[in-house]
Amino acid sequence: MTGPRYRGRFAPSPSGPLHAGSMLAALGSWLLARQAGGEWLVRIEDIDPPREVPGAAQAQLDMLAAFGLLHDGPVEYQSRRSHFYQAALERLLADGTAFECHCSRSEVAAAGGIHRRCVARRPRPDPAIRLRVPDGCRIAFDDGVHGHIVQRVDLEVGDFVLRRSDGLWAYQLAVVVDDADQGITDVVRGADLLDSTPRQILLQRALGLPTPRHAHLPLLLGADGRKLSKSEAALPVSADHPLATLRLLWDCLGQAPLAGHAAHSVEEFLRAAAAGFRLDRVPLQARHVCAAAHNTNVSTRA
Ligand code: GLU
């Protein structure tokens, strides 16, 4: 059986409502999937209960629906998939690619914050599991927006955590297992995850999984050209005026005005946008108009 030509996904963590930056990623990813005649899946990445906000996952799904970003198939929840992460971890432990690490946070910090070898003075009852990153490990890939990216994973990241000492799964392992299980061909997400991609490629290789294509969409900038602060970036978008917000997000994605700007409904706009979207117009950083996208939908709706 052959998989689909194109399958994208949006994978929010339910740590709060979707903000303008995440809606930008959702929109770009949806448009590319629809343009390719492909599928678009939604996966709730709820593997970090302490950071989870009750009701956030449903609010995120409602927001996507309000913006017309309809998904294919059932929504997947990472919290139901531990056994798959466990199986992957056991394979990595069995072949020596992963190892138990007894180092404390302060011991790793004292070694420059990049783990290259265990320095633990005493074993801990709750060791983390890390991936062993070989010396000289250099991962390169071509990003649809950022072009050729190279990372020396050994020097810039070090041996990274797959299962935390508190027993929670690390994002890097879960995302790789799920993208492969769901047959994702194209990962389109925010540029804050650009430097995670080499780790994920390394894991895909260690597990014998395919590497999808990648495109990392711009982060939003404030009107002053600087990245939005965490608290600003965390402000939710409003579902009250989805069409106006979609137009602003479209501008943030560097797209030329299209006939769909005159559209009277979200559906009409999205149809025109999917036909006219051009990845080669997407800027590395979102234009300042995004601050307007943000403010329009936060403060003027009070
Ligand atoms: N769950 C991650 C986040 O909300 C995104 C994961 C991904 O797209 O790979 O930041």
Side-chain angles (χ1 to χ4, degrees):
M1 207 176 84
T2 54
R5 200 163 39 92
Y6 190 112
R7 188 179 279 161
R9 86 318 190 257
F10 179 57
S13 306
S15 51
L18 292 177
H19 52 75
S22 24
M23 284 309 291
L24 190 82
L27 175 62
S29 150
W30 187 91
L31 288 172
L32 283 165
R34 294 298 176 233
Q35 184 168 72
E39 296 170 4
W40 191 70
L41 310 187
V42 171
R43 181 171 73 228
I44 301 291
E45 300 209 322
D46 54 350
I47 43 167
D48 195 349
R51 289 192 56 228
E52 189 166 339
V53 172
Q58 191 54 51
Q60 293 175 336
L61 296 172
D62 293 346
M63 182 71 80
L64 294 175
F67 276 74
L69 304 182
L70 303 181
H71 58 86
D72 298 297
V75 175
E76 192 63 82
Y77 290 83
Q78 287 192 325
S79 55
R80 302 175 188 165
R81 295 181 44 80
S82 282
H83 49 295
F84 292 108
Y85 312 142
Q86 184 66 40
L89 190 74
E90 278 165 17
R91 282 179 52 199
L92 296 170
L93 281 167
D95 69 14
T97 319
F99 63 97
E100 268 188 12
C101 172
H102 293 265
C103 296
S104 67
R105 201 181 285 250
S106 54
E107 283 165 333
V108 175
I114 292 183
H115 189 284
R116 296 303 297 142
R117 61 189 180 85
C118 282
V119 293
R121 273 169 308 206
R122 66 183 70 85
R124 43 192 298 171
D126 55 353
I129 310 281
R130 290 178 185 269
L131 189 88
R132 196 181 306 283
V133 176
D135 287 340
C137 175
R138 176 184 177 279
I139 297 283
F141 69 100
D142 290 310
D143 184 83
V145 175
H146 293 256
H148 194 63
I149 301 285
V150 179
Q151 189 183 70
R152 272 293 296 271
V153 186
D154 57 337
L155 302 180
E156 295 175 47
V157 179
D159 305 323
F160 55 92
V161 172
L162 303 175
R163 198 183 66 201
R164 294 164 23 174
S165 60
D166 58 10
L168 295 181
W169 297 106
Y171 155 68
Q172 309 292 352
L173 178 68
V175 77
V176 160
V177 169
D178 289 347
D179 281 343
D181 273 2
Q182 295 187 289
I184 301 301
T185 61
D186 289 78
V187 169
V188 179
R189 58 187 175 194
D192 52 329
L193 292 166
L194 191 57
D195 76 342
S196 282
T197 302
R199 264 171 280 180
Q200 293 168 17
I201 293 174
L202 193 55
L203 263 173
Q204 283 151 0
R205 292 182 187 167
L207 289 164
L209 302 173
T211 291
R213 290 178 289 256
H214 290 92
H216 288 85
L217 301 177
L219 299 179
L220 296 186
L221 300 177
D224 55 2
R226 286 188 324 210
K227 201 178 143 189
L228 292 178
S229 72
K230 228 183 168 88
S231 54
E232 283 175 308
L235 290 171
V237 288
S238 158
D240 292 350
H241 285 308
L243 192 51
T245 306
L246 283 168
R247 289 192 180 117
L248 286 162
L249 294 173
W250 176 256
D251 288 342
C252 292
L253 287 166
Q255 303 299 304
L258 40 73
H261 268 59
H264 296 299
S265 72
V266 163
E267 292 69 27
E268 257 176 70
F269 178 86
L270 288 176
R271 206 173 310 119
F277 187 70
R278 286 197 22 208
L279 190 59
D280 61 357
R281 292 189 61 103
V282 172
L284 294 186
Q285 293 189 317
R287 286 187 290 145
H288 303 172
V289 65
C290 289
H294 207 261
N295 294 335
T296 302
N297 294 287
V298 176
S299 40
T300 66
R301 293 302 309 157

